[in-house]
Amino acid sequence: MNLLVAARDPQHSELSFSWESNVGSVSVVETTPITSEVLFEVIGCVPHALTATATVTATNALGLSASVALPVGAPDCSTWVPTASLRLSRADHTATLLDSGQVLVVGGFSALAELYNPETATWTSVGTMAAERSSATATRLPSGKVLVAGGAHATVGSLASAEVYDPETREWSATGSLTTARTRHTATLLPSGKVLVVGGYTGRDQGPVASAELYDPGPGTWTSTGTLAMGRQGHTATLLPSGKVLVAGGRGAEWFLQTAEVYDPETGTWASTGTLVHERGDHSAMLLPSGTVLVAGGRGGLSLDSAELYDPETGTWADTGQLSQKRHFQPAVLLPSGKVLIAGGGVTHGEAPSPMPTAASEVYDPVSASWNRTGSLSIPRMSHTATMLPSGKVLVVGGRPFHSSAELFTP
């Protein structure tokens, strides 16, 4: 990689340049009184918590100097290792971190629930839901219980039913039903303790849903709360620092969407916000420590390798880096370093009728606004889950083509 800098001294004296890097070697290609070009080469890989930089210092004839650190891309050293397999193969399921540090996995064309214990690396069956479901949502409530809502049943279609799992008793119980049956929707826990469910898909002849509703854990009831400007499924919903919820992209009645809307829990109303740079659905979205939202991948017909950032202060979107692998149906996880891991996903090639799963994984660095490859999954997978564990490791479970395997990412 060649790096070129240009600088001018206010005193109009000639400048000398020196370079150093925290991860690689720097060799001078050409230097003039106002420019310096070097060849940067990475030596090995980089720990995930480190941002690779090359620092240049310009010094004038009086000995006064100024330095700037330039972020550069470098391979990530993180690794994947297998862990115990599920009892059942699953895809389009949910995985929820419990207060105990264990992970509850439900759905994926099954009613059986399983619990992963990171301390023993084992799975345990923990009861059966009243209905098998896929593409449902699972939300950990303030009480520690888990709300599972909606989803699709193999013979019934979209479901309106909802159930609650109690980690203390390891039992399931019915709760109030959604006002509208839906699958491929989103569910977001609000600061009030209520759960906002948005959009989704009801049936082939009815298209995407524009309605939204709130679940109140106290009485276990659902109430309608405003209507989106347009129906959408396969979108994302992200809780912002303000307490509002950003809903972005998805598939509408005709095609993939470029629009975004914000829900205000104080007023129960929806408002349009800035337009995405690219139309996309089945993407990932992650709130960064800076308060901005990273949206990556997805598809707008074919799989995408673009990523963009939403700024809640200005309500605008801007491109940020490019994924090394086009993908959709991929999970995203915020790592302790503030970087974002994306693992696996589906890739649509040209006129291929169906996406093919990939094992490729990469990490986004907000400091350098760049994507860097990390270790690959042991097997290709899409429509799987990825869950951050208290240890800092990431648990990846199942996925198409219906795996029972699981693996751990160690940053």
Side-chain angles (χ1 to χ4, degrees):
M1 174 191 298
N2 280 47
L3 302 174
L4 174 66
V5 296
R8 289 187 181 276
D9 178 41
Q11 304 301 320
H12 306 291
S13 70
E14 293 187 2
L15 298 174
S16 61
F17 297 88
S18 61
W19 291 80
E20 61 180 11
S21 172
N22 60 350
V23 295
S25 64
V26 179
S27 55
V28 176
V29 174
E30 182 181 11
T31 299
T32 74
I34 59 171
T35 66
S36 179
E37 183 179 3
V38 297
L39 174 65
F40 170 77
E41 294 181 291
V42 177
I43 300 176
C45 57
V46 178
H48 89 284
L50 178 68
T51 296
T53 60
T55 302
V56 57
T57 301
T59 305
N60 67 8
L62 299 176
L64 301 176
S65 63
S67 301
V68 61
L70 307 174
V72 290
D76 189 280
C77 294
S78 304
T79 59
W80 294 91
V81 294
T83 187
S85 294
L86 293 153
R87 299 193 174 193
L88 294 177
S89 298
R90 303 175 187 264
D92 299 313
H93 52 283
T94 62
T96 309
L97 181 67
L98 304 180
D99 290 341
S100 64
Q102 300 183 78
V103 179
L104 175 71
V105 171
V106 299
F109 303 92
S110 172
L112 178 68
E114 301 185 56
L115 194 65
Y116 178 76
N117 186 336
E119 297 297 323
T120 59
T122 55
W123 292 93
T124 305
S125 297
V126 285
T128 303
M129 294 186 293
E132 66 177 45
R133 57 186 85 216
S134 62
S135 300
T137 55
T139 310
R140 186 178 67 183
L141 302 173
S143 63
K145 296 180 180 180
V146 178
L147 169 71
V148 175
H153 187 279
T155 57
V156 177
S158 297
L159 300 171
S161 63
E163 310 180 45
V164 172
Y165 174 76
D166 187 338
E168 295 297 323
T169 62
R170 294 191 172 184
E171 294 180 348
W172 291 89
S173 60
T175 188
S177 293
L178 292 155
T179 60
T180 302
R182 62 185 84 212
T183 184
R184 286 174 51 78
H185 52 287
T186 56
T188 307
L189 180 66
L190 302 178
S192 65
K194 295 182 179 181
V195 179
L196 173 69
V197 161
V198 178
Y201 180 74
T202 293
R204 187 176 299 276
D205 299 328
Q206 297 173 310
V209 178
S211 65
E213 43 192 304
L214 285 173
Y215 176 77
D216 188 336
T221 56
W222 296 88
T223 55
S224 297
T225 179
T227 303
L228 294 159
M230 58 186 69
R232 59 184 82 213
Q233 58 165 315
H235 53 283
T236 54
T238 308
L239 181 67
L240 301 176
S242 64
K244 296 180 179 180
V245 178
L246 170 70
V247 170
R251 181 154 189 164
E254 302 294 333
W255 192 240
F256 294 95
L257 301 175
Q258 205 170 346
T259 59
E261 307 181 46
V262 172
Y263 175 77
D264 186 342
E266 296 297 322
T267 61
T269 57
W270 292 89
S272 296
T273 188
T275 301
L276 290 153
V277 179
H278 308 276
E279 57 190 24
R280 67 179 80 225
D282 300 319
H283 50 283
S284 59
M286 180 58 60
L287 178 69
L288 300 179
S290 63
T292 58
V293 179
L294 172 69
V295 163
R299 57 177 172 166
L302 299 179
S303 301
L304 300 172
D305 58 6
S306 61
E308 45 192 302
L309 286 174
Y310 175 77
D311 186 342
E313 296 298 319
T314 61
T316 56
W317 296 86
D319 274 322
T320 180
Q322 185 178 33
L323 295 160
S324 59
Q325 171 69 66
K326 295 181 178 181
R327 65 184 82 213
H328 63 281
F329 291 144
Q330 81 279 356
V333 177
L334 182 66
L335 300 174
S337 63
K339 296 181 180 181
V340 177
L341 168 70
I342 283 182
V347 184
T348 306
H349 296 284
E351 299 301 322
S354 301
M356 297 296 294
T358 179
S361 302
E362 48 194 304
V363 172
Y364 176 77
D365 186 341
V367 176
S368 61
S370 63
W371 294 89
N372 298 300
R373 286 270 195 174
T374 187
S376 294
L377 293 160
S378 61
I379 55 173
R381 56 181 91 217
M382 66 182 189
S383 301
H384 51 292
T385 55
T387 309
M388 171 60 66
L389 302 178
S391 64
K393 296 182 180 181
V394 178
L395 173 70
V396 162
V397 175
R400 295 181 186 273
F402 288 96
H403 296 299
S404 62
S405 65
E407 48 192 304
L408 292 168
F409 175 80
T410 303

